[in-house]
Amino acid sequence: LHLSQKKPEDLELLVKMMEKFNKQNQELRFGTFIFGPVVMRTFYYLDEPQVALSTFKNPELERFFDQPISCQLLMCLLYKHQMYSDIRDVYDTIRKKHVDGKIFGSNCLIVVAAACYKENTPESFDYIVTLWKELNAKGYTATRKAITFIAALALNQNRDGAALEILTAIKESRYIATRCLRVLAFAKLNKFMEIIPIFRSSLDYSSPHSQKESYFHDVIEVLENKLEQAQVSKDDELFKLLSDLKQNEHITYT
């Protein structure tokens, strides 16, 4: 495999070898060695998303790529080429194969959530929220990264209330993305009073081993615009907190 090059004849030979190997009886195979991840790494290295996808769907290679890392490599390659709907199709194939209700690799869920975020359509939003709720019902807790992508997509789709509901699944609030998404959702809903305790907590939080809790400047700009549109008094506590955040360098531009 490490000798394969980005040539049609090499790729064709590789696929034929896999098909032949997969047809062999179990006792004739090379012990317990699993080739799926190695093959997908080869496709990733050669940057061949279409070949990787067609190989994954090849009925002659049933169960050849039934490993989380193989599917993750494929989905990452598809993501690299902005093939977002194909990522959802791959994940659906995985789910159909694993009907015991268990999640098939948490990293795979992160990639599909990221793909839905990049796709940014009502269809992708409905898909990932439905998936997230199904997994929750089965007792699976999604990673913070996956939840962050889902909540950000909800905001992009103007589903601000849904974004706040999704963010409640993140128990740790010390991450900048979590804070900013909450502030953004409350700002879009004109629930400015809910932002005050978030800012207070950031200003009060101090640790010799941690950086200051900061906020992205574009989120602060959205909040300030919403405050202006709502004609909130400059004497409101929120303006003082915003001033303190700026003076104490809690706003980041990176």
Side-chain angles (χ1 to χ4, degrees):
L1 290 173
H2 68 282
L3 297 176
S4 298
Q5 299 182 35
K6 196 177 176 69
K7 298 178 180 178
E9 55 269 27
D10 279 17
L11 296 172
E12 183 179 354
L13 177 61
L14 176 57
V15 173
K16 287 183 177 179
M17 289 175 60
M18 284 188 291
E19 290 176 348
K20 182 177 180 180
F21 170 77
N22 213 43
K23 289 179 180 178
Q24 291 178 336
N25 293 328
Q26 186 68 38
E27 60 269 18
L28 296 179
R29 296 189 179 184
F30 305 108
T32 58
F33 190 84
I34 298 173
F35 282 95
V38 181
V39 173
M40 275 302 168
R41 284 192 179 96
T42 301
F43 288 143
Y44 193 97
Y45 173 75
L46 296 176
D47 199 28
E48 288 285 352
Q50 294 293 351
V51 177
L53 182 60
S54 63
T55 304
F56 175 80
K57 294 181 176 181
N58 188 341
E60 297 294 325
L61 296 172
E62 181 70 20
R63 309 202 73 82
F64 193 89
F65 297 108
D66 277 8
Q67 312 86 31
I69 187 60
S70 294
C71 297
Q72 182 182 334
L73 285 164
L74 171 59
M75 294 167 73
C76 286
L77 179 57
L78 297 176
Y79 185 90
K80 180 181 176 182
H81 287 267
Q82 302 179 13
M83 299 169 65
Y84 305 129
S85 61
D86 289 311
I87 291 174
R88 287 193 279 126
D89 290 340
V90 168
Y91 196 80
D92 284 339
T93 300
I94 296 170
R95 293 172 65 197
K96 290 176 183 177
K97 287 185 178 181
H98 297 265
V99 295
D100 56 357
K102 294 182 180 179
I103 185 66
F104 188 73
S106 59
N107 287 334
C108 290
L109 181 61
I110 294 174
V111 178
V112 76
C116 289
Y117 169 78
K118 295 291 285 187
E119 199 170 11
N120 191 24
T121 63
E123 180 186 13
S124 65
F125 174 74
D126 290 340
Y127 173 89
I128 195 62
V129 169
T130 299
L131 173 60
W132 176 64
K133 289 181 177 179
E134 287 179 0
L135 293 174
N136 279 344
K138 293 174 181 176
Y140 173 78
T141 302
T143 64
R144 174 181 55 84
K145 290 182 179 180
I147 296 171
T148 299
F149 277 121
I150 300 170
L153 173 58
L155 286 173
N156 285 347
Q157 288 293 308
N158 295 317
R159 303 291 294 274
D160 309 318
L164 287 172
E165 178 186 353
I166 293 165
L167 286 168
T168 60
I170 300 179
K171 305 306 179 184
E172 176 55 63
S173 61
R174 295 299 178 186
Y175 294 97
I176 184 172
T178 306
R179 287 194 305 277
C180 286
L181 287 173
R182 285 199 174 108
V183 169
L184 197 55
F186 283 130
K188 292 180 68 177
L189 291 168
N190 285 349
K191 293 186 176 182
F192 304 121
M193 294 297 293
E194 303 293 340
I195 300 174
I196 290 176
I198 300 176
F199 283 171
R200 280 179 182 167
S201 177
S202 294
L203 288 167
D204 293 341
Y205 178 74
S206 62
S207 170
H209 306 293
S210 302
Q211 293 181 334
K212 293 180 180 179
E213 287 193 356
S214 55
Y215 295 82
F216 296 122
H217 72 95
D218 52 345
V219 172
I220 298 302
E221 289 175 0
V222 170
L223 172 59
E224 290 176 331
N225 289 335
K226 295 293 289 185
L227 289 170
E228 183 178 353
Q229 292 171 12
Q231 297 182 338
V232 176
S233 171
K234 296 292 184 180
D235 295 327
D236 191 274
E237 182 181 1
L238 194 50
F239 279 102
K240 182 182 183 306
L241 291 171
L242 280 168
S243 177
D244 290 343
L245 287 173
K246 293 176 181 178
Q247 289 178 7
N248 290 281
E249 300 180 341
H250 286 268
I251 312 301
T252 179
Y253 292 83
T254 57

